[in-house]
Amino acid sequence: MPSKFTWRDLLALNSKEQSFNTPLSCICHIDINAFFSQFEQLRCKFTENDPVVCIQWNSLIAVSYAARKYGIKRMDSLEEAKKKCPKLIPIHTAVFKKGESFWSYKPFGYNIDPSNHKVSLDPYRRESRKILKCFQKYCDQVEKASVDEAFLDLGRIIFKEIMTCKFFGKIQNKFIHGDYKLDEKLPDLFDIVSHNSIEKDSEEYWKFLGDVFNPNKRSIFVDWDDISILIGSKHCFKIQQIIRNEFGYMTSCGVSNCKSISKLASDFKKPNGHTIIKTNCLEDFLDQGKFEITSFWTFGGIKGKELVEILGLPQENSISYIRESWPNSHLELLEYLKTKLLALSEFKTYSIKVESSQECELVCLKLYLLTRGQWKELVNPKPVVKNMSAVKNMRGGTCACLQDCYSWLKVFCSELSSRVNELEKEYNKAIIPKTIHVAFRGCEKYQFVKRSKSSGLLLTSSKTTYEALYKNAIELMQELDKAYKQVMYPLTNLNMSISNMEILSAGSSVIDLFQKNMNTKNTNDIVNTKDCGAPLEQATKKDAIASEGASFYQCDQCDMSFSEKKEYNEHVDYHYAMKLSENLNGADEFSTSLSYGERLLLFGNKSNHNNSISNSNNNNNNNGKVLKKKVETATTNKKVGILKYFDT
């Protein structure tokens, strides 16, 4: 029987942009079982048979499969879990202590006071990054779904095997000699399989590794999509073994032709499961009684519940109900959805709006295809970083004054800078936040007043450092304290976030960020790039000068010298950023970017500054540091816009 698939479908497997959407696609989803508890079990050298649970204060946040045998669930309190299993091994997460900029693990039995500690998830994020690197080493298209799961597009791996494995010689010859047309049907699969059945090792090759979901005993090999799933499942099984051998983790995996089905399949059998869903078994899998439309990860929230209500779906077998009720097109479903929305919207507000025809049609198309196992989505390895936040709900009087706020901001800044740096390593990108936000909620006495403050985040290098975040955060906190001191303490909540992320190529500096932003400004913008000057005009690299056997780089603007090129480049970035800031916000009398004439015109002949200039002639290096410090700390001095006095 001739194949229903074409050479175009096969060749699409070799394209990162097209492989997810070809009918021969193969996507796997790998989930690390009970990740937090497995991590703590391995870290503390317990076995898989030990009933380990990971806890936060008095709550269980992860339960090992050994502990689940005692009926312990995540919703249980620690006391309830100990009653079910007297030999329970509770391990607390790492924590930050108030006022400290680092996290640590406390000894077993240590009574951690939640009023002056904050949970740190950094150990799990770091371990997750190691595992993700392992996935990426094996597969070229990996999407991190969360800290303990990922999608892998196996298209290129499958294509390579078909073009190199000895069992596919017939199709290889046609490909090598170009003896095919894109829309020509692929060779009959039966000829391929039967031709190789006499090979000694062929029987093992055609066996699936894992559990093929096939309750109705359908044919194992029908067409080339089954070959794609076969090869993909074998490689996914190898990846699971690598994770097991290198890290010690049990994982569950789902293999199918799309992300949504693979996600359901990886949850189907745990722990250590490997569930394979062939194309001709998709509807069997969806209708076996375990799933409803709210089981799909994109409809698991409010929107899924709303659709059940609007469409009048049954509580059970909702997936098959949709297929049978609207069998021909998603447009039938769209018409029904709009009619019901118009009627129900008079009495209740829904997140789905009938006025938004595009949104309604997309929802219906997605629902129509999901219930048939045909909704295809790209496996996207790009990080989508919108913002990061650190939050602490306060207990008692643990945050009763500005100094207490400083102590918690130290914790927040350490956590956020670490998360940004880890994300940069994970994706090999430079991630630069441009906005910082601090907010608080006051105490009951003042009706839990909520206030917040935001500002632009000026970094002096391309790294998001703890020091830079803390400096900006305390300035915002000081402003909030000054404005609301009488009605805010003791706080019941404090949070800090960074947002408006700029994602650049690895190795980029803050200069690249400014250049990128300036290129997008219109002609009416106040910043004039000509006036700002290129940083190399301000502080050029001098020839390496021998000084007691060492080379150094010297800044022309403030005469500071650096032994490392990296430090020098960051210093140049600092001058450039300050120059841009001064063009926007004005300069003060301590600015190092003003000439003597500009300073005299703007501020007059001030004795303090003359002394600074005199000292500069005597000791260039030391004064350069003093001037830099003054520029960084002088926040109350009068500022005058340079552009007011000079044509730009």
Side-chain angles (χ1 to χ4, degrees):
M1 183 176 69
S3 172
K4 64 180 179 182
F5 303 112
T6 66
W7 278 89
R8 188 187 301 276
D9 298 328
L10 176 62
L11 295 176
L13 284 174
N14 203 34
S15 166
K16 291 182 181 181
E17 292 75 26
Q18 300 176 29
S19 60
F20 80 97
N21 207 27
T22 174
L24 300 180
S25 62
C26 180
I27 310 294
C28 79
H29 177 267
I30 301 179
D31 175 81
I32 306 169
N33 304 142
F35 177 43
F36 289 7
S37 60
Q38 268 206 92
F39 174 85
E40 298 299 352
Q41 167 225 311
L42 292 167
R43 183 182 68 85
C44 298
K45 304 189 185 312
F46 290 107
T47 71
E48 292 174 1
N49 296 321
D50 292 317
V52 173
V53 293
C54 182
I55 63 171
Q56 173 182 328
W57 319 135
N58 195 42
S59 301
L60 277 59
I61 61 173
V63 181
S64 68
Y65 284 88
R68 294 183 193 189
K69 293 178 181 178
Y70 294 88
I72 297 172
K73 301 177 181 178
R74 281 182 58 187
M75 299 301 293
D76 293 343
S77 68
L78 183 57
E79 288 74 17
E80 291 171 338
K82 285 181 176 179
K83 289 178 182 178
K84 294 179 180 179
C85 177
K87 295 183 179 180
L88 189 72
I89 304 172
I91 304 176
H92 203 285
T93 63
V95 291
F96 288 99
K97 187 176 181 181
K98 177 183 174 182
E100 294 180 349
S101 59
F102 58 89
W103 55 262
S104 63
Y105 279 100
K106 302 303 180 184
F108 281 103
Y110 184 91
N111 185 22
I112 301 176
D113 184 359
S115 66
N116 57 17
H117 288 84
K118 183 183 185 301
V119 165
S120 172
L121 301 181
D122 282 356
Y124 312 122
R125 294 191 188 100
R126 293 182 180 185
E127 190 74 355
S128 174
R129 184 166 61 86
K130 294 178 187 176
I131 297 170
L132 186 70
K133 289 288 185 185
C134 188
F135 290 154
Q136 292 168 336
K137 186 177 180 180
Y138 197 96
C139 178
D140 64 354
Q141 195 84 342
V142 179
E143 176 183 336
K144 180 179 177 180
S146 71
V147 71
D148 61 352
E149 58 182 330
F151 291 101
L152 288 76
D153 184 337
L154 302 171
R156 267 68 56 219
I157 295 173
I158 295 167
F159 182 81
K160 181 180 179 181
E161 181 155 335
I162 290 175
M163 291 303 167
T164 56
C165 178
K166 64 180 181 179
F167 297 126
F168 302 104
K170 184 175 180 180
I171 201 167
Q172 291 165 18
N173 289 332
K174 291 177 74 69
F175 179 72
I176 291 171
H177 296 99
D179 187 19
Y180 65 90
K181 294 180 180 179
L182 287 177
D183 294 319
E184 177 187 342
K185 300 295 184 182
L186 291 173
D188 189 345
L189 181 62
F190 180 76
D191 291 343
I192 299 288
V193 177
S194 61
H195 174 73
N196 291 291
S197 61
I198 59 174
E199 296 278 351
K200 292 182 179 180
D201 54 350
S202 66
E203 185 176 348
E204 285 300 314
Y205 184 82
W206 302 108
K207 286 183 179 179
F208 282 89
L209 295 179
D211 300 316
V212 179
F213 185 88
N214 190 13
N216 295 323
K217 308 299 181 185
R218 301 183 188 276
S219 299
I220 295 297
F221 293 110
V222 178
D223 211 332
W224 282 93
D225 53 344
D226 297 322
I227 296 297
S228 182
I229 296 294
L230 167 72
I231 297 172
S233 66
K234 288 176 179 288
H235 284 278
C236 189
F237 190 82
K238 289 180 183 178
I239 295 171
Q240 283 185 281
Q241 288 182 316
I242 292 171
I243 300 301
R244 181 69 162 167
N245 295 335
E246 291 191 12
F247 299 98
Y249 291 109
M250 293 187 296
T251 60
S252 291
C253 171
V255 183
S256 75
N257 70 350
C258 63
K259 289 167 67 174
S260 57
I261 300 298
S262 295
K263 168 72 172 171
L264 294 178
S266 71
D267 290 336
F268 189 64
K269 287 188 178 181
K270 288 185 174 183
N272 245 7
H274 186 98
T275 304
I276 302 163
I277 313 299
K278 298 191 322 96
T279 308
N280 62 347
C281 299
L282 282 172
E283 293 186 6
D284 296 337
F285 179 66
L286 290 172
D287 295 345
Q288 44 85 25
K290 192 174 180 179
F291 308 119
E292 304 298 335
I293 69 157
T294 51
S295 302
F296 293 114
W297 63 313
T298 50
F299 284 137
I302 295 175
K303 186 169 288 186
K305 294 177 181 177
E306 288 182 347
L307 285 171
V308 171
E309 181 178 330
I310 295 168
L311 298 175
L313 301 179
Q315 294 299 313
E316 296 181 354
N317 303 317
S318 58
I319 293 176
S320 59
Y321 179 87
I322 290 174
R323 285 203 311 270
E324 294 164 3
S325 300
W326 298 280
N328 300 315
S329 166
H330 75 282
L331 297 177
E332 296 175 326
L333 179 58
L334 176 62
E335 184 178 350
Y336 183 80
L337 177 69
K338 285 186 173 181
T339 302
K340 294 288 288 184
L341 262 179
L342 282 172
L344 294 173
S345 295
E346 296 182 15
F347 311 100
K348 187 175 180 179
T349 302
Y350 295 97
S351 63
I352 306 170
K353 305 296 182 184
V354 69
E355 305 85 32
S356 178
S357 57
Q358 285 186 337
E359 180 192 5
C360 285
E361 183 168 359
L362 179 60
V363 167
C364 291
L365 176 62
K366 189 172 187 177
L367 194 57
Y368 181 86
L369 294 176
L370 275 173
T371 55
R372 290 160 173 79
Q374 298 172 4
W375 176 255
K376 300 292 189 79
E377 289 180 286
L378 175 70
V379 173
N380 183 13
K382 304 295 183 184
V384 181
V385 185
K386 295 182 179 179
N387 58 69
M388 290 182 181
S389 63
V391 183
K392 175 65 180 176
N393 290 320
M394 305 299 174
R395 306 187 184 201
T398 189
C399 194
C401 63
L402 181 60
Q403 197 61 43
D404 286 337
C405 294
Y406 289 167
S407 297
W408 284 115
L409 288 175
K410 285 183 180 179
V411 172
F412 293 172
C413 293
S414 176
E415 179 181 347
L416 292 175
S417 61
S418 175
R419 287 172 61 185
V420 171
N421 293 335
E422 288 293 319
L423 202 64
E424 288 179 326
K425 294 176 185 176
E426 189 173 300
Y427 291 100
N428 194 29
K429 298 285 185 182
I431 300 175
I432 304 175
K434 296 191 289 184
T435 304
I436 184 170
H437 180 87
V438 174
F440 73 84
R441 184 176 68 236
C443 61
E444 183 178 6
K445 179 180 178 181
Y446 301 112
Q447 290 78 47
F448 300 107
V449 60
K450 296 179 182 179
R451 294 292 184 270
S452 62
K453 191 78 175 177
S454 300
S455 72
L457 181 59
L458 180 61
L459 301 177
T460 57
S461 76
S462 57
K463 280 291 182 184
T464 304
T465 63
Y466 159 79
E467 292 79 10
L469 291 181
Y470 186 61
K471 178 179 181 295
N472 284 267
I474 61 173
E475 289 176 357
L476 291 178
M477 197 68 239
Q478 286 169 351
E479 293 181 33
L480 288 169
D481 176 82
K482 184 177 180 180
Y484 306 107
K485 185 174 183 177
Q486 303 304 319
V487 294
M488 60 189 287
Y489 297 115
L491 302 186
T492 56
N493 176 278
L494 182 64
N495 73 77
M496 170 184 164
S497 63
I498 50 178
S499 59
N500 198 13
M501 306 292 197
E502 192 78 33
I503 302 175
L504 304 173
S505 300
S508 299
S509 70
V510 73
I511 294 178
D512 299 307
L513 172 61
F514 285 123
Q515 292 282 19
K516 181 177 179 180
N517 290 341
M518 287 190 294
N519 289 338
T520 63
K521 289 183 178 290
N522 61 43
T523 55
N524 294 323
D525 284 340
I526 191 169
V527 174
N528 187 308
T529 57
K530 183 178 178 180
D531 250 18
C532 293
L536 292 181
E537 294 173 5
Q538 298 175 350
T540 58
K541 172 190 171 182
K542 292 192 173 182
D543 293 333
I545 303 173
S547 176
E548 298 182 2
S551 299
F552 68 92
Y553 300 84
Q554 189 167 349
C555 172
D556 285 340
Q557 186 162 328
C558 64
D559 283 333
M560 289 183 68
S561 59
F562 303 88
S563 59
E564 297 293 334
K565 184 177 179 181
K566 181 180 178 182
E567 294 178 357
Y568 167 78
N569 286 336
E570 289 184 351
H571 178 77
V572 172
D573 287 350
Y574 165 78
H575 278 306
Y576 190 50
M578 289 304 299
K579 182 68 175 177
L580 288 172
S581 175
E582 288 169 1
N583 273 287
L584 285 169
N585 306 314
D588 59 42
E589 61 184 288
F590 299 108
S591 172
T592 60
S593 63
L594 295 178
S595 69
Y596 177 75
E598 290 171 337
R599 186 176 290 108
L600 191 63
L601 176 62
L602 294 175
F603 303 105
N605 189 15
K606 295 194 176 182
S607 59
N608 286 343
H609 190 73
N610 287 339
N611 290 336
S612 295
I613 296 174
S614 175
N615 290 337
S616 173
N617 294 329
N618 295 329
N619 192 336
N620 287 332
N621 279 351
N622 289 337
N623 189 56
K625 296 176 182 177
V626 171
L627 285 176
K628 179 181 177 183
K629 184 175 181 181
K630 287 182 177 179
V631 170
E632 292 175 334
T633 58
T635 58
T636 59
N637 293 320
K638 178 182 177 182
K639 294 191 175 183
V640 182
I642 302 173
L643 299 182
K644 182 177 179 180
Y645 293 91
F646 298 94
D647 291 334
T648 59

